[in-house]
Amino acid sequence: SAVISQKPSRDICQRGTSLTIQCQVDSQVTMMFWYRQQPGQSLTLIATANQGSEATYESGFVIDKFPISRPNLTFSTLTVSNMSPEDSSIYLCSVVSGQGAREVKQFFGPGTRLTVL
Amino acid sequence: AQSVTQLGSHVSVSEGALVLLRCNYSSSVPPYLFWYVQYPNQGLQLLLKYTSAATLVKGINGFEAEFKKSETSFHLTKPSAHMSDAAEYFCAVNVRGSQGNLIFGKGTKLSVKP
């Protein structure tokens, strides 16, 4: 299994500012993912972050708004830039571990609850 | 394209009663299906997953789910609810071989009354 921690756990930010969310995993993983859960909505994948390469963004998400770093196999950051109230969400870090379709498991961090005023 | 629909954003049962949380999926290819649970102030935790082996999948904490292709369903059940089962439950689907790109339902919040 993988244990994931996120910092901060929650924050209240002003419009126009940026917030960087940190994700730390207790083991080395190849693939890390960032999800967003807007109020009353399901989780939506923002991007996939592999160490040593640029993050791959899903439709509707761009690097300028959500820059991601992945400096090593246990750590990643997601920045929410130039925030607006529409960015108020829970942001979750996730990793996949295990080999083979039946063994692979996906783990999620506790989330960062962001409120933008 | 894949999608997941969870019927009922909030389900309330009495302790000891049957728990049934509904999930229907849409997928153009055979899917992998998952149920996750999120306890208050905690991260998502995998309950169980279907990967084309047995259609009845047993998970942790006494939960199980049955994959029914004819009904495109993957409902989650537990014979007897416990107070500790109160949480939010998410059904998810992804394309076989596509790690990480889970598509989630909107979640069902389960309340358990004493």
Side-chain angles (χ1 to χ4, degrees):
Chain A
S1 65
V3 177
I4 304 172
S5 59
Q6 287 185 229
K7 289 182 182 179
S9 58
R10 58 178 63 224
D11 206 342
I12 301 173
C13 301
Q14 295 297 319
R15 182 195 301 260
T17 63
S18 297
L19 175 73
T20 295
I21 303 168
Q22 299 179 6
C23 175
Q24 180 75 52
V25 189
D26 69 342
S27 57
Q28 293 185 337
V29 292
T30 304
M31 302 178 77
M32 295 181 76
F33 309 91
W34 286 98
Y35 286 81
R36 179 175 74 181
Q37 185 179 16
Q38 293 177 299
Q41 302 296 317
S42 60
L43 285 79
T44 303
L45 182 65
I46 297 172
T48 302
N50 292 334
Q51 194 267 337
S53 62
E54 284 201 3
T56 303
Y57 289 82
E58 298 298 310
S59 176
F61 298 96
V62 295
I63 188 171
D64 290 346
K65 175 68 175 177
F66 297 102
I68 288 171
S69 78
R70 182 79 201 275
N72 57 53
L73 292 174
T74 63
F75 187 79
S76 177
T77 67
L78 169 76
T79 299
V80 186
S81 304
N82 188 24
M83 287 183 286
S84 66
E86 291 71 35
D87 294 321
S88 298
S89 292
I90 298 173
Y91 292 86
L92 297 105
C93 175
S94 175
V95 303
V96 170
S97 68
Q99 299 290 332
R102 292 192 172 82
E103 291 74 37
V104 70
K105 290 184 179 180
Q106 189 161 355
F107 300 91
F108 290 82
T112 295
R113 185 179 294 271
L114 171 62
T115 302
V116 184
L117 303 177
Chain B
Q2 288 75 36
S3 66
V4 171
T5 302
Q6 290 184 242
L7 297 176
S9 60
H10 194 177
V11 170
S12 181
V13 300
S14 298
E15 192 172 19
L18 171 72
V19 175
L20 171 61
L21 304 182
R22 300 178 186 274
C23 172
N24 287 90
Y25 70 91
S26 173
S27 177
S28 56
V29 297
Y32 288 151
L33 293 159
F34 306 78
W35 274 100
Y36 282 84
V37 61
Q38 187 173 30
Y39 298 103
N41 301 315
Q42 295 187 27
L44 288 166
Q45 180 182 356
L46 180 67
L47 265 181
L48 51 80
K49 65 177 182 178
Y50 166 76
T51 57
S52 81
T55 55
L56 181 63
V57 182
K58 294 188 184 297
I60 61 172
N61 301 338
F63 284 92
E64 62 183 36
E66 186 173 7
F67 172 71
K68 291 187 176 180
K69 185 178 179 181
S70 60
E71 299 177 8
T72 61
S73 68
F74 191 57
H75 301 330
L76 182 70
T77 60
K78 182 174 180 178
S80 177
H82 192 272
M83 297 295 290
S84 60
D85 294 326
E88 189 152 20
Y89 292 80
F90 294 89
C91 183
V93 61
N94 80 347
V95 177
R96 290 184 178 184
S98 172
Q99 290 182 348
N101 194 9
L102 287 172
I103 297 169
F104 285 85
K106 292 191 175 183
T108 299
K109 190 169 186 177
L110 176 66
S111 300
V112 182
K113 299 174 291 186

